[in-house]
């Protein structure tokens, strides 16, 4: 978030300064890379928890097979 804020502010004020424009671009690229790896890591952590992978898959399968809630309990 800090990189995004710095990059945005620097981009707004970098009309004539090539150095400030480069700093803004680098900060925005770094922000994008950090976000991408953060989302990837969150997905890996989420995939390790069966509550987020197995349960939704079973629910979709049971819905597809037309099982009633009473049949699901057994």
């Amino acid at each position: 978030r800090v990189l995004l804020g710095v990059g945005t502010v620097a981009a707004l004020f970098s009309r004539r300064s090539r150095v400030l424009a480069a700093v803004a671009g680098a900060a925005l690229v770094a922000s994008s890379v950090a976000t991408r790896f953060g989302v990837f890591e969150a997905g890996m952590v989420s995939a390790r928890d069966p509550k987020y992978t197995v349960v939704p898959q079973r629910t979709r399968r049971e819905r597809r097979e037309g099982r009633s809630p009473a049949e699901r309990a057994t």
Side-chain angles (χ1 to χ4, degrees):
R1 291 183 180 175
V2 172
L3 288 170
L4 179 60
V6 169
T8 302
V9 170
L12 291 173
F13 292 108
S14 67
R15 288 199 116 158
R16 295 187 183 190
S17 172
R18 193 170 262 196
V19 173
L20 192 56
V23 169
L28 291 171
V29 167
S31 171
S32 176
V33 168
T35 300
R36 180 175 291 252
F37 282 109
V39 169
F40 177 77
E41 183 61 28
M44 296 298 286
V45 170
S46 171
R48 285 188 214 118
D49 189 351
K51 178 173 69 172
Y52 297 110
T53 54
V54 177
V55 173
Q57 290 173 359
R58 285 183 184 160
T59 303
R60 283 192 302 271
R61 184 188 68 200
E62 289 169 354
R63 221 179 298 139
R64 213 177 23 242
E65 293 174 353
R67 291 186 186 177
S68 69
E71 291 173 329
R72 291 180 202 154
T74 59

